[in-house]
C-alpha cells in the first residue's frame, strides 16, 4: 500500500481509482492479504548484503526471508538475493 500510494502520488502509477479504494477491492477480489512489517522481518536487514539500496525492495526481501515467501519480480538486483523468486 505504501509504495503504490507513493508512486500514485508522484504520477508514476496510474490507477482506475485512488489507492485507498482500489487496493482493498483488488485484495478482496484476488484473495490478497497484507503482511505487517514486524520486528523479526526488520531484523533480517542485518543479514542482507548491500546488493540493492531501494528501501521498499529491501523491506520486501526481509519479509520474504522471515516468512518464507516468494517474490515475483524481473528486477535483477532483487533476484541476486538468496530468496524464493519467480
Amino acid at each position: 500500500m505504501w509504495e503504490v500510494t507513493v508512486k500514485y502520488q508522484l504520477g508514476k502509477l496510474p490507477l482506475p481509482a485512488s489507492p485507498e479504494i482500489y487496493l482493498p477491492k483488488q485484495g478482496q477480489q484476488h484473495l490478497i492479504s497484507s503482511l505487517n512489517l514486524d520486528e523479526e522481518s526488520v531484523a533480517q536487514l542485518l543479514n542482507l548484503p548491500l546488493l540493492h539500496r531501494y528501501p521498499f525492495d529491501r523491506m520486501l526481501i526481509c519479509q520474504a526471508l522471515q516468512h518464507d515467501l516468494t517474490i515475483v519480480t524481473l528486477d535483477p538486483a532483487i533476484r541476486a538475493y538468496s530468496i524464493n523468486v519467480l
Side-chain angles (χ1 to χ4, degrees):
M1 182 75 161
W2 182 1
E3 185 171 12
V4 169
T5 301
V6 168
K7 288 188 184 255
Y8 178 81
Q9 287 179 319
L10 293 173
K12 294 183 177 184
L13 181 64
L15 296 174
S18 63
E20 73 272 11
I21 295 169
Y22 182 72
L23 292 177
K25 285 182 180 179
Q26 292 301 304
Q28 287 178 333
Q29 183 178 348
H30 298 285
L31 303 175
I32 298 170
S33 58
S34 294
L35 181 63
N36 291 328
L37 183 58
D38 53 59
E39 291 178 19
E40 293 82 9
S41 295
V42 174
Q44 292 290 336
L45 277 171
L46 296 172
N47 302 320
L48 291 186
L50 290 173
L51 303 175
H52 199 310
R53 295 186 185 268
Y54 192 59
F56 289 119
D57 291 347
R58 291 177 61 81
M59 176 182 64
L60 294 173
I61 293 164
C62 287
Q63 288 176 307
L65 288 168
Q66 180 63 32
H67 299 283
D68 194 30
L69 300 172
T70 300
I71 294 179
V72 179
T73 183
L74 296 175
D75 186 331
I78 292 176
R79 297 176 78 77
Y81 286 92
S82 297
I83 57 174
N84 299 324
V85 179
L86 289 177

